[in-house]
Amino acid sequence: MGHYIVKILMLAAVLFVCMQTMADDNEFGTWLSAGAEKKLNKKWSIETEAEFRVQDNMKKVDRWSGSLGVEYKAFKFLKFGMAYEFLYNYNMEDCNDH
C-alpha cells in the first residue's frame, strides 16, 4: 500500500510542476492535499491529512495544515470520530508593512 502513496505523491508533484509552467499571470495558485487511514482493528482506525496551498504564481505560501484523527465504529451504520487540525493561514490583507 505504501508504494501507491508514493506514486500518487509523484504524480501530484509532476502535475504541480506542469501547472506552474502553464501559469501566465500573478494570480495563479494551487494546493496539494494528501491523507491516509489505518484500521487498527474492526472498531478503531486512525487517520491523518496534510494540505499545502500557494498563491501569487506559486511564490507565496497561502495556507498549510495538518490533522490527526481517530474513529470508532459503534455499529455497522454509525461511526464516531474526533480529530485535531492545526491550520496556518497567511492572510495578505491582515499584513501591514511598518
Side-chain angles (χ1 to χ4, degrees):
M1 173 125 171
H3 63 283
Y4 290 115
I5 293 172
V6 172
K7 288 180 181 180
I8 290 170
L9 290 176
M10 289 176 63
L11 177 62
V14 169
L15 291 174
F16 185 80
V17 170
C18 291
M19 290 169 58
Q20 181 180 8
T21 59
M22 295 185 314
D24 292 337
D25 59 6
N26 288 340
E27 298 298 319
F28 181 76
T30 189
W31 71 80
L32 297 172
S33 178
E37 180 179 354
K38 172 69 176 162
K39 292 188 178 197
L40 301 174
N41 56 36
K42 291 183 179 183
K43 298 273 185 183
W44 290 93
S45 64
I46 57 173
E47 58 190 25
T48 185
E49 184 175 0
E51 183 179 282
F52 183 74
R53 296 184 185 193
V54 291
Q55 64 180 2
D56 193 16
N57 203 15
M58 292 198 255
K59 294 178 184 172
K60 294 182 182 175
V61 175
D62 180 44
R63 166 182 157 162
W64 60 267
S65 66
S67 67
L68 182 63
V70 63
E71 285 188 348
Y72 176 73
K73 187 174 183 179
F75 305 102
K76 288 184 180 183
F77 60 91
L78 182 64
K79 284 184 185 178
F80 295 100
M82 182 175 23
Y84 176 79
E85 181 171 10
F86 177 81
L87 173 66
Y88 171 80
N89 193 17
Y90 176 76
N91 192 345
M92 292 178 61
E93 289 83 26
D94 291 343
C95 294
N96 296 322
D97 292 332
H98 296 294

